[in-house]
Amino acid sequence: ANAYYREGEDAQTPQEEVDGFIRFLFNMVMNQEIEGCFAEKESSCIGFALWAVDTEDFPFSEIPGFGTILEIGLVPAHRGSGLGQEFVSFIEKSLRIAI
């Protein structure tokens, strides 16, 4: 019930595939290939966001020189709270600085 799924995935997506993609993104953050931030409340992670500036060789590139929000995730209790919008605003500002 706590499994993580991306848009287009569902409970039929093998968990190993989902876990592999999460590891892939985590490694990209650790290698500073993409940016990431987390939201905390009372010492608990309540959300995260991952984004990057697109380049020709970037695996998620839509338009080189622009930015892509790769993931935004919020725990269910904080959905509809405006935190997602805050993430998007923060990312847009970060991308403006980077581009």
Side-chain angles (χ1 to χ4, degrees):
N2 291 329
Y4 168 84
Y5 297 103
R6 293 171 41 79
E7 184 176 328
E9 294 175 341
D10 57 28
Q12 304 307 310
T13 302
Q15 190 63 45
E16 302 83 44
E17 184 178 320
V18 175
D19 292 345
F21 186 73
I22 292 168
R23 276 191 300 279
F24 172 73
L25 290 177
F26 177 78
N27 287 333
M28 290 186 84
V29 170
M30 296 306 293
N31 293 329
Q32 298 180 346
E33 297 173 64
I34 62 176
E35 299 290 324
C37 69
F38 296 88
E40 288 188 33
K41 185 174 184 180
E42 299 171 5
S43 300
S44 294
C45 182
I46 60 171
F48 71 97
L50 302 172
W51 66 93
V53 174
D54 295 347
T55 62
E56 285 292 333
D57 59 345
F58 186 60
F60 303 103
S61 186
E62 295 291 326
I63 305 173
F66 286 76
T68 297
I69 296 175
L70 301 166
E71 296 287 334
I72 294 179
L74 301 172
V75 297
H78 291 278
R79 293 181 185 151
S81 68
L83 183 58
Q85 291 175 334
E86 288 180 41
F87 270 143
V88 171
S89 293
F90 177 81
I91 292 166
E92 287 175 338
K93 288 176 189 165
S94 296
L95 288 170
R96 273 192 224 100
I97 292 168
I99 295 177

